């Protein structure tokens, strides 16, 4: 375990050095900068991905991006990301967007529907009751989830 920190620190140094020199190609998001209205771009930091205004340094607005939710995209198997819509509503979309157009307002879960094999989403059915509900409109099979403890607040 003792050699864990050695290579890790070296990587950090490397990452910090490269942040200034190399600009990773900016992928334009669909989120407008709330300061200047430019379409924000995805940036990579050692803390993960975030959105930054393309007019940097004139405009220094940035937006934290939640990481992927650890559930594969039901359409293409890519990562699902928690995102915020233009109207400020939370949704889940595929990292491969726009190549893959999968989106869901409800948080998809890794479990597949035991009835039809479709993906399932997390729904709150009451105070402390969570369900996995089949996303297939014609199925809507529902499975109650034991504990709500795993659903925590945004860190
Ligand atoms: Zn801006
Ligand atoms: Zn996908
Ligand atoms: Zn189903």
């Amino acid at each position: 375990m003792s050699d864990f920190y050695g290579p890790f620190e070296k990587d950090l140094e490397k990452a910090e050095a490269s942040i200034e020199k190399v600009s990773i190609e900016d992928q334009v998001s669909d989120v407008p900068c709330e300061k200047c209205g430019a379409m924000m771009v995805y940036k990579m930091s050692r803390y993960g991905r975030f959105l930054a205004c393309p007019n940097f340094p004139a405009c220094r607005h940035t937006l934290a991006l939640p990481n992927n939710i650890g559930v594969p995209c039901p359409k293409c198997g890519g990562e699902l990301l928690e995102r915020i819509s233009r109207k400020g509503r939370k949704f889940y979309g595929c990292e491969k967007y726009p190549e893959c157009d999968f989106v869901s307002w409800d948080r998809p879960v890794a479990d597949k529907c035991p009835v039809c094999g479709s993906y399932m989403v997390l729904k709150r059915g009451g105070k402390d009751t969570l369900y996995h509900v089949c996303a297939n409109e014609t199925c809507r099979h529902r499975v109650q989830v034991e504990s709500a403890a795993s659903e925590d607040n945004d860190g």
Side-chain angles (χ1 to χ4, degrees):
M1 272 317 187
S2 62
D3 38 82
F4 175 75
Y5 290 99
F8 184 63
E9 270 178 15
K10 219 178 251 171
D11 279 355
L12 277 188
E13 276 169 31
K14 230 187 271 170
E16 276 176 357
S18 59
I19 277 171
E20 283 164 46
K21 286 179 207 141
V22 185
S23 72
I24 307 152
E25 75 274 26
D26 297 333
Q27 193 196 342
V28 181
S29 74
D30 55 2
V31 182
C33 171
E34 58 187 52
K35 298 259 163 69
C36 71
M39 293 317 265
M40 298 185 79
V41 294
Y42 290 102
K43 295 275 189 186
M44 196 63 154
S45 80
R46 61 184 152 129
Y47 300 111
R49 259 151 57 105
F50 66 100
L51 285 175
C53 181
N55 293 332
F56 181 89
C59 174
R60 290 169 174 267
H61 186 60
T62 58
L63 211 55
L65 261 190
N67 287 325
N68 72 68
I69 63 170
V71 174
C73 171
K75 259 195 176 172
C76 74
E79 304 276 6
L80 288 184
L81 306 172
E82 193 180 277
R83 306 177 72 187
I84 304 293
S85 78
R86 246 171 267 197
K87 286 177 180 159
R89 193 172 162 193
K90 196 190 271 186
F91 72 100
Y92 301 90
C94 183
E95 59 163 352
K96 303 241 167 71
Y97 179 87
E99 286 159 58
C100 173
D101 62 356
F102 176 82
V103 287
S104 171
W105 292 113
D106 299 304
R107 185 191 184 101
V109 297
D111 294 345
K112 293 273 183 285
C113 173
V115 176
C116 73
S118 173
Y119 74 96
M120 301 182 88
V121 297
L122 198 63
K123 292 248 195 213
R124 207 171 277 278
K127 196 165 168 275
D128 285 319
T129 320
L130 286 174
Y131 292 98
H132 288 177
V133 181
C134 178
N136 184 348
E137 300 271 334
T138 59
C139 173
R140 289 288 174 195
H141 180 70
R142 205 159 81 141
V143 180
Q144 188 172 342
V145 189
E146 280 301 310
S147 87
S150 61
E151 254 269 296
D152 53 8
N153 299 322
D154 295 340

